[in-house]
Amino acid sequence: MKKTLICGALLVFVQQMNLVQAQDWKPVEGKIMTEWTEKVTPENAHQEYPRPQMTRDNWVNLNGLWDYAIQAKGAAAPSNFEGEILVPFAVESALSGVGKTVGKDQELWYNTEFASPKKSIKDHVILHFGASDWETEVFVNGVSVGIHRGGYDPFEFDITSALKSGKSQVLQVRVWDPSDDGPQPRGKQVNNPSGIWYTPVTGIWQTVWMETVPSSYIAGIRNASDLESKQILVTPQVTAAQAGQQVKVSAWKDGNMLAEQTIDPNGTAKLTIANAEFWEPGNPVLYDLKVELISGKKVLDEVGSYAAIREIKMAPDAEGIQRMMLNGKFLFQYGPLDQGWWPDGLYTAPSEEALVFDIQKTQDMGFNMIRKHVKVEPARWYYACDKMGMLVWQDMPSGDMGNGWEMKVGVLGSQTDRARTPESEAIYRTEWKEIMDDFYSFPSIVVWVPFNEAWGQFKTKEITEWTENHDPSRLVNSASGGNFEMEGTKITGDIIDLHNYPDAKMPDPGIFGKENIIVLGEFGGLGLPVDGHVWQQKDNWGYQSFKNEEELLNRYAGLMKRLEELISDGLSAAVYTQTTDVEVETNGLMTYDRKVIKMKAAQLKPLHDKLYQVSVK
């Protein structure tokens, strides 16, 4: 009886201490915040299942308050910590509760404990990280279980052998991120932010989670489709597959099974969908998938997924101008340049609601596409685009800058490629391949963009062709904004992409449109700083600034009228800069804190609807 009372009192004490710690956490003050900031708590920080393309019931979310320390690079694991950090928010962000910079000469250490997972003797425990920037080493009970280098791709480690007996396990993480002092992909992060360059993001910035799996288990799924045969193609990846095991794949809609096939673990299921509907904006039809690893009649492992049937291709119109074709039809693609930054969370949206908000507002405004600019989002962002019918162009995050730049005839960027070191090239290739592989199954992604404006651009022809060969199911925009490799009038890749501020222009279709799709990859940049909703009170920046919303809308309407003319002449897509203000940039359709929408959806949607109705021969 006395022992029970002591244990009960101890449990209450621990719960009270956790509550006190949670109450001590608060966002770092001093900058503007979104409306979701005040809703964030250590208990509710991104609790959604982080991998919608491959779901399991048996998982544990490890987000919350962890210990942290910043110390010299190469020092031993710390025994004392400086305070607590809210995972998954980067240490520089307000929502981390820390708001400190790290830099190339220091490392960020994390420390936490988690309850020992329930498992059989043959089960394995997999520890997952949505993303951590940049070099991440993971220790479980003092044992290094692996090192990952890459700031944008998910990774995992099998930690089974490092677990010990007892009720809890110790998890420590070491992160080193040199930001723009290193050659790695880092997007717009710099140590000294200004203009179009922003605050560094160091450490864990997406969900950390854990799952228990059997000794043979489904480790991955690659979903594709074939429009002509109306088939969904599912290729599973099975770890430690044994003789006699098979994989059963079934497709479902509204609770009804539409097709089923059993294959070998290294095979591809081809599910023919009767009366199939194609995925597209306005009709984003998704089919649920069930993937089971079986031995005889016994189900060893099971995951849920989904897929769509859709096709993106290049084909000429009646005038011989190459067009961007979705499911065999021309659809003008128009969307904003979306940087994916937040004043409170930097790379990390404050919540799932906030993450979806930007997509929903973009859709409400009448856009049908988003160009995700030199950043990769959590898988749930693409899941939302899949469900909502939003097309996505996905950039590779830039890095290893240093190129010169000059313009040729006002149309094409011309310069020599960057001379990267073997280490830099290997880092780029590894992460770009991982990004393409990890996000391959999201039907919303229709274009890969390996380079932007010659930022760290190298071996353009080779990298573009490698990208095309690695994923022939999508279009490739080799160099958004310039530095094209040409053979005659043919540019490497599928697309010729011009950047022009502020006016809408395009390359001559008579010269360039016979071999490549013509797009306006960036334009606009119309600025309107809104007092009380800016990152800093002075020295804000825009390509062209206006005094009020009326002036801004009138100028924008003129741009849309010009776009209509260009579509008729051969333009297939355009990207307006940009979704929101970001730090000192004030070119957004919305303010950085998302509290002011500068041009209302009711004003923009009629302008955009006309773009999709332009007659093309």
Side-chain angles (χ1 to χ4, degrees):
M1 180 68 177
K2 185 178 294 184
K3 183 177 180 180
T4 302
L5 289 173
I6 293 173
C7 289
L10 181 61
L11 178 61
V12 170
F13 174 74
V14 171
Q15 291 173 335
Q16 289 176 338
M17 286 300 295
N18 289 338
L19 181 60
V20 169
Q21 290 173 335
Q23 289 174 341
D24 287 343
W25 172 86
K26 63 179 182 179
V28 179
E29 297 178 352
K31 296 290 186 180
I32 55 175
M33 302 287 185
T34 69
E35 65 181 59
W36 300 280
T37 306
E38 61 185 22
K39 301 177 185 178
V40 176
T41 69
E43 293 78 25
N44 71 11
H46 288 282
Q47 294 299 299
E48 299 81 13
Y49 190 85
R51 190 182 59 189
Q53 276 283 357
M54 202 176 88
T55 61
R56 274 197 180 89
D57 294 330
N58 187 16
W59 74 289
V60 177
N61 192 315
L62 297 181
N63 292 345
L65 287 174
W66 297 19
D67 302 318
Y68 85 92
I70 300 172
Q71 57 182 33
K73 186 178 186 297
S79 54
N80 296 307
F81 292 86
E82 300 173 32
E84 291 181 313
I85 183 171
L86 182 55
V87 171
F89 298 101
V91 67
E92 294 89 350
S93 72
L95 282 172
S96 71
V98 180
K100 296 180 181 178
T101 57
V102 181
K104 66 180 177 65
D105 297 322
Q106 300 184 106
E107 292 174 327
L108 172 63
W109 282 84
Y110 297 85
N111 180 80
T112 191
E113 292 188 11
F114 61 89
S116 297
K118 295 179 180 179
K119 60 183 288 295
S120 73
I121 193 169
K122 292 184 179 181
D123 286 346
H124 288 249
V125 178
I126 312 298
L127 180 64
H128 296 265
F129 290 76
S132 177
D133 196 3
W134 174 68
E135 180 183 271
T136 305
E137 184 172 13
V138 179
F139 301 83
V140 176
N141 298 317
V143 177
S144 176
V145 296
I147 298 176
H148 176 77
R149 301 176 87 194
Y152 300 93
D153 55 312
F155 60 96
E156 67 279 332
F157 299 115
D158 187 330
I159 64 172
T160 311
S161 62
L163 299 176
K164 64 179 183 180
S165 60
K167 294 183 178 180
S168 65
Q169 314 288 329
V170 177
L171 170 61
Q172 291 186 317
V173 178
R174 176 191 64 83
V175 181
W176 175 65
D177 179 17
S179 191
D180 57 327
D181 286 323
Q184 81 290 346
R186 44 86 179 175
K188 288 201 168 187
Q189 304 174 58
V190 293
N191 291 307
N192 297 300
S194 65
I196 65 169
W197 308 105
Y198 316 139
T199 303
V201 173
T202 302
I204 298 167
W205 65 275
Q206 290 186 30
T207 293
V208 183
W209 53 286
M210 183 173 61
E211 63 182 354
T212 302
V213 298
S215 55
S216 297
Y217 65 97
I218 302 165
I221 303 174
R222 187 178 176 94
N223 300 333
S225 65
D226 182 81
L227 197 74
E228 185 175 351
S229 63
K230 298 180 181 178
Q231 287 183 332
I232 293 171
L233 312 176
V234 181
T235 305
Q237 175 192 349
V238 178
T239 293
Q242 301 297 311
Q245 293 178 352
Q246 292 183 299
V247 177
K248 183 165 66 174
V249 184
S250 53
W252 302 70
K253 184 67 177 172
D254 300 324
N256 300 311
M257 189 172 73
L258 306 180
E260 181 181 76
Q261 187 178 5
T262 299
I263 59 173
D264 291 333
N266 60 353
T268 295
K270 298 179 179 180
L271 306 176
T272 302
I273 308 299
N275 303 313
E277 293 185 73
F278 301 151
W279 184 99
E280 59 190 15
N283 191 42
V285 178
L286 300 175
Y287 296 95
D288 296 321
L289 298 175
K290 182 189 293 185
V291 183
E292 300 168 290
L293 178 64
I294 59 176
S295 179
K297 293 184 178 181
K298 183 178 181 181
V299 177
L300 305 175
D301 190 22
E302 178 183 328
V303 298
S305 188
Y306 68 90
I309 299 176
R310 73 104 183 91
E311 177 186 78
I312 184 75
K313 281 190 173 181
M314 174 174 69
D317 63 17
E319 300 293 324
I321 303 299
Q322 296 293 339
R323 295 286 187 171
M324 196 174 285
M325 310 292 282
L326 181 68
N327 300 330
K329 300 176 294 184
F330 172 66
L331 173 66
F332 184 72
Q333 297 188 21
Y334 183 49
L337 191 76
D338 193 298
Q339 316 248 24
W341 284 74
W342 300 83
D344 40 18
L346 299 180
Y347 258 15
T348 310
S351 67
E352 174 90 351
E353 181 183 1
L355 190 74
V356 175
F357 176 87
D358 282 3
I359 307 170
Q360 185 62 63
K361 287 300 177 185
T362 299
Q363 192 169 66
D364 292 345
M365 291 174 183
F367 295 102
N368 64 7
M369 175 264 283
I370 294 171
R371 180 183 169 200
K372 183 52 64 174
H373 190 42
V374 295
K375 183 204 175 189
V376 179
E377 291 289 356
R380 293 197 66 87
W381 186 88
Y382 302 93
Y383 175 49
C385 289
D386 288 349
K387 290 192 299 181
M388 296 166 66
M390 181 63 71
L391 298 164
V392 176
W393 295 12
Q394 179 59 57
D395 289 11
M396 170 62 177
S398 50
D400 203 357
M401 311 297 195
N403 305 48
W405 178 261
E406 59 185 76
M407 296 302 293
K408 183 166 73 176
V409 200
V411 175
L412 298 175
S414 176
Q415 63 158 78
T416 54
D417 281 352
R418 177 114 170 97
R420 289 202 180 196
T421 65
E423 178 194 25
S424 172
E425 180 175 338
I427 289 170
Y428 175 98
R429 288 180 182 271
T430 298
E431 190 153 13
W432 186 219
K433 179 181 181 298
E434 284 297 321
I435 290 168
M436 287 190 286
D437 288 344
D438 290 330
F439 296 91
Y440 176 88
S441 296
F442 292 101
S444 54
I445 301 175
V446 292
V447 175
W448 295 123
V449 187
F451 297 115
N452 176 77
E453 289 188 359
W455 294 352
Q457 186 174 340
F458 72 103
K459 296 185 178 179
T460 306
K461 187 173 188 295
E462 182 180 335
I463 294 297
T464 301
E465 292 177 350
W466 173 61
T467 301
E468 290 175 317
N469 291 333
H470 192 69
D471 182 6
S473 72
R474 290 180 170 91
L475 298 173
V476 177
N477 184 358
S478 67
S480 183
N483 195 24
F484 302 105
E485 293 281 342
M486 295 189 66
E487 295 181 5
T489 57
K490 174 70 172 75
I491 289 170
T492 297
D494 301 301
I495 294 169
I496 177 170
D497 178 331
L498 173 69
H499 291 183
N500 192 82
Y501 288 100
D503 294 312
K505 295 182 179 181
M506 73 176 187
D508 187 339
I511 299 175
F512 300 104
K514 303 296 184 179
E515 303 283 352
N516 294 91
I517 298 166
I518 300 173
V519 309
L520 177 57
E522 290 182 30
F523 80 110
L526 307 181
L528 178 65
V530 181
D531 191 41
H533 301 275
V534 290
W535 184 251
Q536 61 188 33
Q537 288 304 310
K538 61 180 182 177
D539 299 325
N540 290 300
W541 182 86
Y543 286 98
Q544 183 178 11
S545 293
F546 296 85
K547 295 178 181 179
N548 55 58
E549 292 184 14
E550 183 179 5
E551 286 185 2
L552 178 65
L553 181 62
N554 288 338
R555 181 71 168 98
Y556 185 84
L559 295 180
M560 294 303 98
K561 186 65 177 176
R562 178 57 179 149
L563 268 190
E564 291 181 48
E565 300 169 359
L566 296 179
I567 296 168
S568 295
D569 291 340
L571 189 69
S572 278
V575 178
Y576 177 81
T577 300
Q578 60 190 346
T579 306
T580 71
D581 297 346
V582 184
E583 299 201 355
V584 301
E585 279 192 77
T586 57
N587 303 311
L589 295 160
M590 298 182 282
T591 55
Y592 197 19
D593 58 13
R594 279 73 168 173
K595 293 179 179 178
V596 177
I597 298 175
K598 301 178 189 180
M599 293 185 285
K600 305 302 185 286
Q603 299 169 319
L604 293 182
K605 193 173 186 303
L607 297 176
H608 297 161
D609 286 346
K610 292 180 181 179
L611 303 178
Y612 312 127
Q613 298 163 6
V614 174
S615 178
V616 173
K617 294 181 181 180

PDB file of all heavy atoms in Angstrom, residues 1-22:
ATOM      1  N   MET A   1       0.839  -1.197   0.000  1.00  0.00           N
ATOM      2  CA  MET A   1       0.000   0.000   0.000  1.00  0.00           C
ATOM      3  C   MET A   1       0.878   1.252   0.000  1.00  0.00           C
ATOM      4  O   MET A   1       0.665   2.184  -0.769  1.00  0.00           O
ATOM      5  CB  MET A   1      -0.917  -0.011   1.229  1.00  0.00           C
ATOM      6  CG  MET A   1      -1.845   1.199   1.320  1.00  0.00           C
ATOM      7  SD  MET A   1      -3.084   1.154   0.004  1.00  0.00           S
ATOM      8  CE  MET A   1      -4.039   2.605   0.422  1.00  0.00           C
ATOM      9  N   LYS A   2       1.921   1.264   0.833  1.00  0.00           N
ATOM     10  CA  LYS A   2       2.796   2.418   0.929  1.00  0.00           C
ATOM     11  C   LYS A   2       3.549   2.627  -0.377  1.00  0.00           C
ATOM     12  O   LYS A   2       3.716   3.747  -0.855  1.00  0.00           O
ATOM     13  CB  LYS A   2       3.788   2.207   2.078  1.00  0.00           C
ATOM     14  CG  LYS A   2       4.666   3.438   2.337  1.00  0.00           C
ATOM     15  CD  LYS A   2       5.595   3.216   3.516  1.00  0.00           C
ATOM     16  CE  LYS A   2       4.814   3.084   4.793  1.00  0.00           C
ATOM     17  NZ  LYS A   2       5.711   2.962   5.982  1.00  0.00           N
ATOM     18  N   LYS A   3       3.977   1.484  -1.005  1.00  0.00           N
ATOM     19  CA  LYS A   3       4.689   1.555  -2.277  1.00  0.00           C
ATOM     20  C   LYS A   3       3.797   2.152  -3.364  1.00  0.00           C
ATOM     21  O   LYS A   3       4.222   2.974  -4.172  1.00  0.00           O
ATOM     22  CB  LYS A   3       5.164   0.163  -2.685  1.00  0.00           C
ATOM     23  CG  LYS A   3       5.980   0.155  -3.967  1.00  0.00           C
ATOM     24  CD  LYS A   3       6.480  -1.256  -4.258  1.00  0.00           C
ATOM     25  CE  LYS A   3       7.304  -1.270  -5.541  1.00  0.00           C
ATOM     26  NZ  LYS A   3       7.797  -2.631  -5.855  1.00  0.00           N
ATOM     27  N   THR A   4       2.525   1.762  -3.362  1.00  0.00           N
ATOM     28  CA  THR A   4       1.575   2.279  -4.346  1.00  0.00           C
ATOM     29  C   THR A   4       1.396   3.783  -4.181  1.00  0.00           C
ATOM     30  O   THR A   4       1.352   4.530  -5.155  1.00  0.00           O
ATOM     31  CB  THR A   4       0.219   1.571  -4.205  1.00  0.00           C
ATOM     32  OG1 THR A   4       0.410   0.176  -4.377  1.00  0.00           O
ATOM     33  CG2 THR A   4      -0.776   2.087  -5.234  1.00  0.00           C
ATOM     34  N   LEU A   5       1.314   4.236  -2.914  1.00  0.00           N
ATOM     35  CA  LEU A   5       1.156   5.661  -2.650  1.00  0.00           C
ATOM     36  C   LEU A   5       2.368   6.453  -3.116  1.00  0.00           C
ATOM     37  O   LEU A   5       2.248   7.532  -3.704  1.00  0.00           O
ATOM     38  CB  LEU A   5       0.925   5.889  -1.155  1.00  0.00           C
ATOM     39  CG  LEU A   5      -0.443   5.444  -0.616  1.00  0.00           C
ATOM     40  CD1 LEU A   5      -0.471   5.568   0.910  1.00  0.00           C
ATOM     41  CD2 LEU A   5      -1.557   6.290  -1.228  1.00  0.00           C
ATOM     42  N   ILE A   6       3.560   5.903  -2.878  1.00  0.00           N
ATOM     43  CA  ILE A   6       4.791   6.578  -3.284  1.00  0.00           C
ATOM     44  C   ILE A   6       4.865   6.700  -4.806  1.00  0.00           C
ATOM     45  O   ILE A   6       5.166   7.757  -5.359  1.00  0.00           O
ATOM     46  CB  ILE A   6       6.027   5.836  -2.741  1.00  0.00           C
ATOM     47  CG1 ILE A   6       6.064   5.946  -1.214  1.00  0.00           C
ATOM     48  CG2 ILE A   6       7.309   6.383  -3.345  1.00  0.00           C
ATOM     49  CD1 ILE A   6       7.150   5.110  -0.571  1.00  0.00           C
ATOM     50  N   CYS A   7       4.543   5.580  -5.498  1.00  0.00           N
ATOM     51  CA  CYS A   7       4.564   5.591  -6.962  1.00  0.00           C
ATOM     52  C   CYS A   7       3.551   6.595  -7.513  1.00  0.00           C
ATOM     53  O   CYS A   7       3.818   7.329  -8.466  1.00  0.00           O
ATOM     54  CB  CYS A   7       4.271   4.200  -7.515  1.00  0.00           C
ATOM     55  SG  CYS A   7       5.614   3.034  -7.248  1.00  0.00           S
ATOM     56  N   GLY A   8       2.361   6.614  -6.871  1.00  0.00           N
ATOM     57  CA  GLY A   8       1.334   7.543  -7.316  1.00  0.00           C
ATOM     58  C   GLY A   8       1.769   8.984  -7.117  1.00  0.00           C
ATOM     59  O   GLY A   8       1.555   9.836  -7.987  1.00  0.00           O
ATOM     60  N   ALA A   9       2.385   9.259  -5.978  1.00  0.00           N
ATOM     61  CA  ALA A   9       2.859  10.611  -5.709  1.00  0.00           C
ATOM     62  C   ALA A   9       3.959  11.020  -6.685  1.00  0.00           C
ATOM     63  O   ALA A   9       4.012  12.160  -7.159  1.00  0.00           O
ATOM     64  CB  ALA A   9       3.390  10.697  -4.273  1.00  0.00           C
ATOM     65  N   LEU A  10       4.834  10.055  -7.014  1.00  0.00           N
ATOM     66  CA  LEU A  10       5.902  10.328  -7.968  1.00  0.00           C
ATOM     67  C   LEU A  10       5.342  10.653  -9.346  1.00  0.00           C
ATOM     68  O   LEU A  10       5.790  11.592 -10.015  1.00  0.00           O
ATOM     69  CB  LEU A  10       6.841   9.120  -8.050  1.00  0.00           C
ATOM     70  CG  LEU A  10       8.039   9.259  -9.015  1.00  0.00           C
ATOM     71  CD1 LEU A  10       8.925  10.425  -8.589  1.00  0.00           C
ATOM     72  CD2 LEU A  10       8.843   7.963  -9.036  1.00  0.00           C
ATOM     73  N   LEU A  11       4.301   9.891  -9.757  1.00  0.00           N
ATOM     74  CA  LEU A  11       3.679  10.125 -11.049  1.00  0.00           C
ATOM     75  C   LEU A  11       3.062  11.517 -11.103  1.00  0.00           C
ATOM     76  O   LEU A  11       3.214  12.250 -12.085  1.00  0.00           O
ATOM     77  CB  LEU A  11       2.621   9.055 -11.327  1.00  0.00           C
ATOM     78  CG  LEU A  11       1.836   9.203 -12.637  1.00  0.00           C
ATOM     79  CD1 LEU A  11       2.791   9.119 -13.817  1.00  0.00           C
ATOM     80  CD2 LEU A  11       0.768   8.115 -12.731  1.00  0.00           C
ATOM     81  N   VAL A  12       2.378  11.904 -10.027  1.00  0.00           N
ATOM     82  CA  VAL A  12       1.766  13.225  -9.963  1.00  0.00           C
ATOM     83  C   VAL A  12       2.837  14.308 -10.033  1.00  0.00           C
ATOM     84  O   VAL A  12       2.694  15.325 -10.726  1.00  0.00           O
ATOM     85  CB  VAL A  12       0.925  13.374  -8.685  1.00  0.00           C
ATOM     86  CG1 VAL A  12       0.490  14.831  -8.502  1.00  0.00           C
ATOM     87  CG2 VAL A  12      -0.297  12.462  -8.734  1.00  0.00           C
ATOM     88  N   PHE A  13       3.958  14.077  -9.316  1.00  0.00           N
ATOM     89  CA  PHE A  13       5.056  15.045  -9.312  1.00  0.00           C
ATOM     90  C   PHE A  13       5.630  15.236 -10.718  1.00  0.00           C
ATOM     91  O   PHE A  13       5.852  16.364 -11.170  1.00  0.00           O
ATOM     92  CB  PHE A  13       6.154  14.574  -8.358  1.00  0.00           C
ATOM     93  CG  PHE A  13       7.394  15.435  -8.382  1.00  0.00           C
ATOM     94  CD1 PHE A  13       7.414  16.686  -7.794  1.00  0.00           C
ATOM     95  CD2 PHE A  13       8.549  14.989  -9.034  1.00  0.00           C
ATOM     96  CE1 PHE A  13       8.554  17.475  -7.832  1.00  0.00           C
ATOM     97  CE2 PHE A  13       9.681  15.765  -9.070  1.00  0.00           C
ATOM     98  CZ  PHE A  13       9.685  17.019  -8.471  1.00  0.00           C
ATOM     99  N   VAL A  14       5.857  14.104 -11.425  1.00  0.00           N
ATOM    100  CA  VAL A  14       6.391  14.168 -12.783  1.00  0.00           C
ATOM    101  C   VAL A  14       5.429  14.912 -13.699  1.00  0.00           C
ATOM    102  O   VAL A  14       5.825  15.756 -14.501  1.00  0.00           O
ATOM    103  CB  VAL A  14       6.669  12.743 -13.322  1.00  0.00           C
ATOM    104  CG1 VAL A  14       7.004  12.798 -14.811  1.00  0.00           C
ATOM    105  CG2 VAL A  14       7.803  12.090 -12.552  1.00  0.00           C
ATOM    106  N   GLN A  15       4.120  14.607 -13.563  1.00  0.00           N
ATOM    107  CA  GLN A  15       3.122  15.280 -14.390  1.00  0.00           C
ATOM    108  C   GLN A  15       3.109  16.783 -14.116  1.00  0.00           C
ATOM    109  O   GLN A  15       2.997  17.605 -15.027  1.00  0.00           O
ATOM    110  CB  GLN A  15       1.743  14.677 -14.147  1.00  0.00           C
ATOM    111  CG  GLN A  15       1.594  13.252 -14.679  1.00  0.00           C
ATOM    112  CD  GLN A  15       0.284  12.616 -14.280  1.00  0.00           C
ATOM    113  OE1 GLN A  15      -0.322  12.994 -13.271  1.00  0.00           O
ATOM    114  NE2 GLN A  15      -0.160  11.626 -15.048  1.00  0.00           N
ATOM    115  N   GLN A  16       3.236  17.139 -12.821  1.00  0.00           N
ATOM    116  CA  GLN A  16       3.246  18.553 -12.450  1.00  0.00           C
ATOM    117  C   GLN A  16       4.489  19.261 -12.993  1.00  0.00           C
ATOM    118  O   GLN A  16       4.420  20.395 -13.458  1.00  0.00           O
ATOM    119  CB  GLN A  16       3.172  18.698 -10.931  1.00  0.00           C
ATOM    120  CG  GLN A  16       1.810  18.335 -10.351  1.00  0.00           C
ATOM    121  CD  GLN A  16       1.796  18.384  -8.838  1.00  0.00           C
ATOM    122  OE1 GLN A  16       2.842  18.298  -8.181  1.00  0.00           O
ATOM    123  NE2 GLN A  16       0.608  18.517  -8.257  1.00  0.00           N
ATOM    124  N   MET A  17       5.641  18.545 -12.945  1.00  0.00           N
ATOM    125  CA  MET A  17       6.871  19.129 -13.468  1.00  0.00           C
ATOM    126  C   MET A  17       6.768  19.356 -14.976  1.00  0.00           C
ATOM    127  O   MET A  17       7.189  20.394 -15.492  1.00  0.00           O
ATOM    128  CB  MET A  17       8.063  18.212 -13.159  1.00  0.00           C
ATOM    129  CG  MET A  17       8.501  18.238 -11.699  1.00  0.00           C
ATOM    130  SD  MET A  17       9.018  19.904 -11.183  1.00  0.00           S
ATOM    131  CE  MET A  17      10.464  20.128 -12.218  1.00  0.00           C
ATOM    132  N   ASN A  18       6.185  18.390 -15.683  1.00  0.00           N
ATOM    133  CA  ASN A  18       5.993  18.542 -17.125  1.00  0.00           C
ATOM    134  C   ASN A  18       5.095  19.717 -17.439  1.00  0.00           C
ATOM    135  O   ASN A  18       5.321  20.469 -18.390  1.00  0.00           O
ATOM    136  CB  ASN A  18       5.404  17.259 -17.730  1.00  0.00           C
ATOM    137  CG  ASN A  18       6.405  16.118 -17.756  1.00  0.00           C
ATOM    138  OD1 ASN A  18       7.609  16.336 -17.712  1.00  0.00           O
ATOM    139  ND2 ASN A  18       5.890  14.895 -17.840  1.00  0.00           N
ATOM    140  N   LEU A  19       4.040  19.906 -16.611  1.00  0.00           N
ATOM    141  CA  LEU A  19       3.124  21.013 -16.799  1.00  0.00           C
ATOM    142  C   LEU A  19       3.839  22.338 -16.570  1.00  0.00           C
ATOM    143  O   LEU A  19       3.669  23.295 -17.331  1.00  0.00           O
ATOM    144  CB  LEU A  19       1.933  20.880 -15.854  1.00  0.00           C
ATOM    145  CG  LEU A  19       0.855  21.972 -15.958  1.00  0.00           C
ATOM    146  CD1 LEU A  19       0.263  21.978 -17.364  1.00  0.00           C
ATOM    147  CD2 LEU A  19      -0.232  21.750 -14.913  1.00  0.00           C
ATOM    148  N   VAL A  20       4.691  22.398 -15.529  1.00  0.00           N
ATOM    149  CA  VAL A  20       5.442  23.618 -15.232  1.00  0.00           C
ATOM    150  C   VAL A  20       6.382  23.952 -16.387  1.00  0.00           C
ATOM    151  O   VAL A  20       6.485  25.102 -16.828  1.00  0.00           O
ATOM    152  CB  VAL A  20       6.240  23.457 -13.922  1.00  0.00           C
ATOM    153  CG1 VAL A  20       7.229  24.607 -13.757  1.00  0.00           C
ATOM    154  CG2 VAL A  20       5.288  23.418 -12.736  1.00  0.00           C
ATOM    155  N   GLN A  21       7.072  22.908 -16.918  1.00  0.00           N
ATOM    156  CA  GLN A  21       7.979  23.129 -18.034  1.00  0.00           C
ATOM    157  C   GLN A  21       7.233  23.647 -19.250  1.00  0.00           C
ATOM    158  O   GLN A  21       7.691  24.557 -19.949  1.00  0.00           O
ATOM    159  CB  GLN A  21       8.721  21.837 -18.365  1.00  0.00           C
ATOM    160  CG  GLN A  21       9.733  21.428 -17.297  1.00  0.00           C
ATOM    161  CD  GLN A  21      10.330  20.062 -17.555  1.00  0.00           C
ATOM    162  OE1 GLN A  21       9.723  19.226 -18.213  1.00  0.00           O
ATOM    163  NE2 GLN A  21      11.521  19.835 -17.037  1.00  0.00           N
ATOM    164  N   ALA A  22       6.075  23.061 -19.521  1.00  0.00           N
ATOM    165  CA  ALA A  22       5.277  23.499 -20.656  1.00  0.00           C
ATOM    166  C   ALA A  22       4.820  24.937 -20.475  1.00  0.00           C
ATOM    167  O   ALA A  22       4.776  25.720 -21.419  1.00  0.00           O
ATOM    168  CB  ALA A  22       4.083  22.568 -20.844  1.00  0.00           C
TER     169      ALA A  22
END
